[in-house]
Structure formats: C-alpha cells, structure tokens
Amino acid sequence: MAPEVCRESVETTLEQLLSHVRLESAFYFEVVAKAPWATLTPHMRNIGHVVMPEVQRVLPFHIMLDGEAWCWRADDPSDKRWFKTGDILMLPRGCDHIIASTRSPNSVPEPDTEIYREAETSQRPCTYVDIGGDGERASFVCGYFGVPRQSFHPLFDSLADLLILTPTPEKWDLLQQLVGVATREQSDRRTGGKLVTSRLAETMFIDAVHQHLLHLDPASTSGWLVALRDRNISLALEALHSSPMHPWTVELLAKEARLSRSAFTERFQELIGRPPIQYLQSWRMQLAADQLAQTDKAIKCIAEDCGYAAETSFHRAFKHQTGYTPGAWRALHEVAR
C-alpha cells in the first residue's frame, strides 16, 4: 500500500509549479460605493479580450480597501459571501459576478461594456467610479490577471469559481502599498506600472493557491490540487516535476506512483484530465518557454534540459505546443527582456 501523502513532497511539487507562474496585471477601476448599491461584472469571455487583449485568459479580482459588501456568482445567488476590508475577491474562471451592499438588492444594473473599452484606452492610472446612494461607504479596486499565451498551468482550473482571501496583517500592509504604487504610477498600462502590478498579481495568486489548498473540500474528486493530495498520483507528479529531463514512460511513472500501468493511467486522467505523457510534455514546454524568454542559453542546451536528445525533436514538439519555433519564441520575448 502506498504511504500517506508527504506534506514536504506536496509543497515541493507545488513550489516547482508556482515558480513558473507568470502573470500580467492591470487595475482598471477605483470604486467608491454608497449604500444602497450593486454592480455586475460580466463574464470574462465577454470582456476579457477588451481589458487584456494580448493574453490567453483573464481572471478578475477585487480588493476591498475600506468597507464591506456581499458578493456572489451571477449564476448562483444561493452562495453569497461576505467581502470586507482587507479581503481579496478572485474569480479564477472569469465568472460573471455581483458585488452589492446588501444580500438582496432591489435591482442589479446591466453592465455597460463600453466602460471597459474606455478604461482600457485611458491614459489615467485608473478610472474612478462613484455608485449608489448616500448610505454607508465602501471603496475597492477592480483589476484583472492576464495569463500569457501558451502558458501551461493546471492550477487555474483547479481553483474554485469564487475565492475570498484574507491576507495576514503584514501582507495586507504590503498589499496596500503595492496597490497605491500601481494605481498612482500606472499612467500607461503597457509600461509604467506593469512590473509592479505583475509582481502584485503573482503574489496574490500564489497566496490564493496556498489558502485554497489548505481549505480544499475533502469531497473534491478532480483537479490538479486534488491530484497533488492523492497518495499515489502525487508521487508521480513529484517525480516528473523534479526530473523533467528523465526519459519517463507511463510504466516508469506508474512504478513511481506504486500502481499498475492501467490503474495509474486511469487515475491520472480522472484527476488531471489529460494522459500522463501529454502532461509531461506540456510541463517540459513550459520550462523551455521560460528559459527561451528569460535567458540566452543555447537552444540545444534547453532541449537537453527538457529531456530531448535531438534538437529537431524539440523544435517539432515546441512548435506543436506553442505555434512558434524556439527561435521565434525567443525573438518574441527579447524586447520585453
């Protein structure tokens, strides 16, 4: 029988994946709301291409600077959450959602998608919005994470649709400072505050993953984080993440997981949603993409680091995964670097 999941092993695998999270971020709105009020943010499939047109997927977030409100997914009003000063609200799947001063607002205004177009083209740090009546005041900022194109991060689909995070007092102080810098200095989202907001996005996302893992529903039956806590599959994940250059086969990974080949393949697919070798190849290509974008290392050496003895095989695999040759990918990221 396989041993219980080792906490250190879980943390190691998680940190290996998180160390390759690359997010862009932008703040769009600073909202001052006075009760009664309610606001609806559309699904990212409808506005994601407007607010961050050059990324693969968009994840909205809100930070409550002062005050309190209720929030819920637009398609699930039965699951309402309290959102207070010092909290971060994240929607990892980009769901449309409502934030309001009361659990049962009399009405929720239809979103004006034009305001997002105006905010995206604005040269101001943020678009200021005043809503509501003359009652109790709340202030919060609204922004978006952008996942770069061709990123491989199974974490995104493992997180809940709606997350509320409460940073420690020390992290909250730092977060407030970063938000202040980002909203003041982001005079041009493509240059000025990009580094600050990107680091802020990555910090918030990593905290979100850790908090979600700590409170993961024991009844969850699939997803990368569930796989990470599975006493068999976690062993295979640790092995392939620790040594991506190893010539892994399904048989070898099944041996690491202490399962038969068929049981391992079925369990891996059930939890993660893709076959083991396909997952391994995606992880290798993520590592290669990072090295190509961030270093001047020879492509042949990067190929070897990712388990490819033949550079031609690496070229084919990389282009199949990303749509670019390794050289073209490096050139694409050279200016930013």
Side-chain angles (χ1 to χ4, degrees):
M1 187 171 74
E4 294 299 321
V5 177
C6 171
R7 182 180 295 274
E8 184 178 341
S9 172
V10 169
E11 284 296 324
T12 298
T13 307
L14 182 60
E15 292 306 322
Q16 285 168 343
L17 194 64
L18 287 174
S19 68
H20 292 275
V21 168
R22 299 288 179 264
L23 295 176
E24 298 176 15
S25 177
F27 286 94
Y28 271 81
F29 304 104
E30 288 191 63
V31 181
V32 173
K34 294 180 181 178
W37 60 272
T39 180
L40 169 62
T41 299
H43 199 291
M44 289 303 103
R45 64 171 169 258
N46 297 323
I47 63 167
H49 64 287
V50 174
V51 297
M52 301 190 81
E54 297 180 356
V55 301
Q56 178 173 308
R57 63 192 294 178
V58 179
L59 291 68
F61 67 86
H62 309 274
I63 303 174
M64 183 64 79
L65 300 176
D66 183 36
E68 52 197 29
W70 290 93
C71 59
W72 60 94
R73 286 168 33 208
D75 64 350
D76 187 10
S78 65
D79 183 22
K80 296 183 177 178
R81 315 281 185 88
W82 190 235
F83 180 36
K84 65 185 187 306
T85 302
D87 284 348
I88 303 167
L89 167 63
M90 288 177 53
L91 290 300
R93 299 176 191 271
C95 300
D96 43 348
H97 54 282
I98 295 166
I99 308 176
S101 57
T102 175
R103 288 177 61 100
S104 303
N106 291 329
S107 63
V108 177
E110 287 295 319
D112 177 11
T113 56
E114 193 57 35
I115 193 174
Y116 298 96
R117 299 183 190 280
E118 293 172 359
E120 200 281 329
T121 57
S122 172
Q123 295 301 302
R124 292 172 294 173
C126 272
T127 296
Y128 293 88
V129 179
D130 289 293
I131 59 175
D134 56 5
E136 191 172 352
R137 181 181 183 275
S139 63
F140 54 97
V141 294
C142 307
Y144 305 89
F145 298 149
V147 183
R149 295 189 185 282
Q150 309 304 334
S151 289
F152 167 65
H153 289 300
L155 276 172
F156 295 120
D157 291 326
S158 291
L159 296 173
D161 289 334
L162 186 152
L163 293 173
I164 293 183
L165 316 172
T166 303
T168 63
E170 295 78 14
K171 286 189 176 181
W172 175 242
D173 288 342
L174 176 60
L175 182 61
Q176 285 181 297
Q177 293 176 41
L178 288 173
V179 169
V181 171
T183 54
R184 283 195 308 272
E185 297 187 3
Q186 197 184 359
S187 57
D188 183 341
R189 292 190 185 89
R190 295 163 185 79
T191 54
K194 191 169 184 178
L195 180 60
V196 172
T197 56
S198 293
R199 297 295 80 76
L200 177 62
E202 289 167 11
T203 298
M204 284 196 293
F205 179 76
I206 288 170
D207 280 352
V209 171
H210 279 289
Q211 287 200 36
H212 184 69
L213 182 59
L214 288 173
H215 300 97
L216 191 64
D217 184 351
S220 299
T221 58
S222 64
W224 192 86
L225 289 172
V226 176
L228 192 61
R229 292 172 57 167
D230 183 277
R231 64 183 186 177
N232 296 105
I233 301 303
S234 62
L235 297 172
L237 286 174
E238 181 188 14
L240 67 83
H241 276 277
S242 298
S243 303
M245 74 295 295
H246 189 77
W248 293 111
T249 62
V250 174
E251 288 78 6
L252 288 174
L253 288 170
K255 186 176 180 180
E256 291 288 335
R258 306 182 187 185
L259 292 171
S260 69
R261 185 184 191 281
S262 59
F264 168 70
T265 302
E266 182 179 351
R267 182 68 175 154
F268 196 100
Q269 176 81 40
E270 176 188 354
L271 291 177
I272 294 182
R274 62 172 70 190
I277 299 305
Q278 186 185 103
Y279 178 96
L280 172 63
Q281 182 166 318
S282 294
W283 175 235
R284 286 173 169 173
M285 293 303 103
Q286 178 68 64
L287 297 176
D290 285 352
Q291 288 199 58
L292 288 165
Q294 298 170 35
T295 75
D296 294 318
K297 196 171 186 177
I299 292 176
K300 180 180 179 180
C301 294
I302 293 175
E304 291 171 353
D305 288 348
C306 295
Y308 288 86
E311 191 175 344
T312 52
S313 299
F314 171 70
H315 275 255
R316 284 196 300 271
F318 192 87
K319 185 164 186 182
H320 176 75
Q321 182 81 16
T322 68
Y324 295 87
T325 65
W329 183 266
R330 170 165 278 169
L332 188 68
H333 292 82
E334 211 158 44
V335 173
R337 182 156 59 86

